Amino acid sequence: MSDINANQHIEQEHPDYTARARMWRRYRDIYAGGEQFRLNAAEYLIRRLKEPAEVYQERLGRVFYENYVGSIVDWYAATLMREEPVIDLTDGSPQSRDFFAQFVQNCDQRGTTLTQFFRQQLTETLVCGKSFVVVDFPRAGDSEAPRSRAEEDELGRSRAYLTGYSADEVINWSYDDRGEMEWIVFRTSWLKQDGPKSHGWKRETRWIYYDRENYEIYERDKEIELLERGRHGFAGIGRVPVYELRVSDGLWLTNKAASLQMEHFNKSNALGWALTMGLFAMPVIYSDREWSQIVGESYYIQMGPQDRFGWAEPDGKVYEIAADNLNRLKDEIYRVSFLMMQAGDSGGAMQSGLSKQWDFAVTQEILGAYGDVVKDAMRNILNGIAAARQDEMAVDVVGLDSFDITDFSTEANDAASLLKLEISSPTLTKQIYKRLALKYLCDARQDIKDRIAEEIDAG
């Protein structure tokens, strides 16, 4: 892309982007559900062979969507980021430490904490397989460049901030033979009205290009115009100021569950339609003469006295089979998402305590893997900012590796079994009671928790 400066070339799309753009849009609808999915339901509700257009349109008007994938993605993001990671700073001046302390509380100049920002990016990653973070610094504009680091800090030019981008906003890119990014192009668009007295809205599109030294910003008015060009904040360390969060195909939740969710959607709507139609009785007229009277809601069947009519179905139990299949699909969605303990038991059998512990252990391993992805991205971004600011410090990120996801009934049963052993240890007994009480009252105020713990210790 040696001629990237040519305005007409900024619109070029990478072949991988072109191939995946429709998939990303589908995955966003699957994750979002609600009105967004309903408006695009015609793309997902399969039309039966030779189904009349008016019948299909009526089915579209009654469409509904049970969104398991969205709940699963949000559960993982919320559970992983329930406790904030610990930022460990080594060396560095007091001014540098003060900057990072403020940065953790407001990393995007919009009041978003670093934990909240990465929760959003992790959600995006679980939906689309990857997301991107740009590190930027306030631009000088036409003013003079600061003459010292102290002046730069005073003007706020050294206060880095983050901007998150989704996978479908990155339209073109290039990596070198070592796998390091050479350049990247983002494209965003939005609706804009020039003012409250102007008429109509127009869609504006912006392209932002970064390489290892420079950035360029383009916008489309009637033609694509170059608005701004300059050196970015990472030019001094020779790096594109863009970081990628990516999960493997095995950990890409929406990709694993999307086909099952779509099958569940079509089967549940087919069953719902059949049940709805079954509520409206259809008259059957046994007569050889012409019939023109209006009978029933809208339809009737006319047959000769000797004619026969029926339906071909498996032993008349098609509704039961469909309902069982929907339960199996739901359980499979949870299973491929490593959350079998959240799926209902369609077989009616009780799950053993050992089986539950195994399910929890698997889910905790997956949470740990997601935690590693987030910590690596945080660590790389914070160290990149420190290098660009010349802070001469090392940043480490720890935590996101301890998750209390077992349910209370499992904990209570385990505690009861342990207490039945009658181990002669008052301390052990008190610790068991405190653990159970604090888990049950996890949402209580801290002073209430402290008082309960003191009362248990006092006997």
Side-chain angles (χ1 to χ4, degrees):
M1 198 169 178
S2 58
D3 55 350
I4 187 68
N5 290 332
N7 295 0
Q8 64 270 26
H9 289 166
I10 198 68
E11 289 186 288
Q12 289 186 112
E13 295 179 353
H14 195 285
D16 284 352
Y17 172 85
T18 305
R20 290 173 173 250
R22 184 176 179 182
M23 175 196 69
W24 284 324
R25 186 161 61 87
R26 181 170 69 253
Y27 286 0
R28 289 194 182 285
D29 289 343
I30 290 173
Y31 165 73
E35 187 67 9
Q36 177 175 324
F37 188 93
R38 193 189 68 79
L39 291 174
N40 298 321
E43 299 183 28
Y44 311 119
L45 186 66
I46 298 175
R47 184 174 178 178
R48 292 176 290 126
L49 183 65
K50 297 183 179 181
E51 180 177 15
E54 59 271 18
V55 174
Y56 181 69
Q57 289 300 318
E58 186 174 353
R59 287 209 298 138
L60 278 176
R62 295 175 176 269
V63 79
F64 64 94
Y65 176 62
E66 296 172 289
N67 189 356
Y68 298 112
V69 169
S71 299
I72 290 169
V73 168
D74 288 342
W75 183 88
Y76 270 107
T79 302
L80 178 67
M81 308 299 288
R82 183 179 298 165
E83 295 185 7
E84 295 188 357
V86 178
I87 311 298
D88 184 17
L89 306 177
T90 304
D91 301 327
S93 66
Q95 292 81 4
S96 299
R97 289 175 170 271
D98 179 64
F99 162 74
F100 279 101
Q102 296 180 42
F103 180 81
V104 167
Q105 297 302 316
N106 180 10
C107 68
D108 61 353
Q109 295 189 339
R110 298 179 180 179
T112 306
T113 67
L114 192 64
T115 300
Q116 292 170 340
F117 180 87
F118 272 92
R119 183 185 295 119
Q120 296 167 1
Q121 292 306 115
L122 176 63
T123 300
E124 177 66 32
T125 303
L126 296 181
V127 173
C128 293
K130 59 183 177 179
S131 65
F132 296 84
V133 178
V134 174
V135 181
D136 211 342
F137 290 84
R139 299 190 177 104
D142 297 330
S143 59
E144 293 184 8
R147 289 167 296 200
S148 66
R149 175 60 185 273
E151 185 177 346
E152 185 180 44
D153 290 344
E154 184 179 352
L155 293 173
R157 303 277 171 76
S158 62
R159 293 201 170 276
Y161 62 93
L162 307 181
T163 304
Y165 288 92
S166 59
D168 52 355
E169 290 177 324
V170 178
I171 64 168
N172 209 354
W173 60 87
S174 176
Y175 290 86
D176 62 20
D177 53 5
R178 295 178 298 174
E180 295 181 0
M181 189 178 293
E182 292 182 309
W183 52 263
I184 192 169
V185 178
F186 296 93
R187 180 178 64 197
T188 58
S189 64
W190 62 93
L191 289 174
K192 181 180 179 181
Q193 187 178 19
D194 292 333
K197 296 183 179 180
S198 62
H199 296 284
W201 291 74
K202 61 180 180 180
R203 179 164 293 278
E204 296 202 352
T205 304
R206 172 175 290 185
W207 294 262
I208 306 178
Y209 163 80
Y210 293 98
D211 60 24
R212 289 172 175 165
E213 185 175 353
N214 300 307
Y215 73 91
E216 295 170 355
I217 300 177
Y218 298 81
E219 276 193 11
R220 183 197 299 276
D221 188 3
K222 295 180 180 178
E223 300 292 335
I224 298 177
E225 299 178 356
L226 176 63
L227 296 184
E228 191 175 332
R229 170 190 291 160
R231 283 169 59 88
H232 56 65
F234 273 36
I237 59 176
R239 192 194 191 288
V240 180
V242 178
Y243 293 83
E244 181 182 15
L245 275 76
R246 179 189 288 267
V247 292
S248 66
D249 287 345
L251 296 176
W252 183 1
L253 289 182
T254 306
N255 191 52
K256 289 167 68 70
S259 60
L260 292 167
Q261 181 75 78
M262 285 296 92
E263 180 70 6
H264 188 282
F265 164 70
N266 276 282
K267 288 278 180 65
S268 61
N269 276 268
L271 179 59
W273 173 260
L275 292 173
T276 300
M277 293 299 99
L279 299 175
F280 301 97
M282 179 181 295
V284 180
I285 296 93
Y286 296 95
S287 174
D288 288 329
R289 65 185 179 83
E290 183 179 352
W291 187 272
S292 59
Q293 298 180 26
I294 298 176
V295 181
E297 296 288 337
S298 57
Y299 307 109
Y300 68 89
I301 297 176
Q302 183 173 359
M303 303 175 64
Q306 304 302 319
D307 294 340
R308 297 182 63 191
F309 177 82
W311 295 100
E313 60 160 326
D315 300 327
K317 298 179 180 179
V318 66
Y319 293 160
E320 181 181 347
I321 293 172
D324 289 343
N325 183 247
L326 286 174
N327 282 331
R328 190 191 67 79
L329 286 171
K330 181 195 70 172
D331 288 350
E332 190 67 10
I333 290 171
Y334 281 108
R335 189 189 69 78
V336 300
S337 303
F338 315 102
L339 285 174
M340 268 308 298
M341 73 279 190
Q342 292 198 14
D345 184 12
S346 56
M350 293 296 292
Q351 189 178 17
S352 68
L354 183 60
S355 177
K356 287 184 178 180
Q357 290 179 8
W358 171 251
D359 289 339
F360 288 135
V362 171
T363 305
Q364 286 180 324
E365 289 295 323
I366 300 302
L367 282 166
Y370 290 143
D372 290 340
V373 171
V374 172
K375 285 188 293 186
D376 288 345
M378 278 189 180
R379 188 180 299 115
N380 292 335
I381 289 172
L382 294 176
N383 279 297
I385 292 174
R389 286 169 42 90
Q390 300 178 346
D391 282 324
E392 297 183 357
M393 68 188 312
V395 185
D396 194 14
V397 181
V398 296
L400 302 183
D401 53 8
S402 178
F403 316 102
D404 185 12
I405 61 173
T406 57
D407 61 359
F408 181 76
S409 61
T410 301
E411 291 262 3
N413 291 334
D414 291 344
S417 299
L418 186 57
L419 290 171
K420 285 181 181 179
L421 297 176
E422 297 182 353
I423 300 173
S424 181
S425 173
T427 302
L428 175 61
T429 302
K430 290 178 180 179
Q431 291 301 317
I432 291 173
Y433 284 140
K434 280 200 293 185
R435 180 183 178 91
L436 287 175
L438 295 179
K439 183 175 181 65
Y440 186 75
L441 299 173
C442 60
D443 295 330
R445 297 198 316 268
Q446 188 60 44
D447 61 326
I448 299 295
K449 294 179 182 179
D450 293 341
R451 191 186 315 161
I452 292 172
E454 292 172 1
E455 291 171 353
I456 293 174
D457 285 333

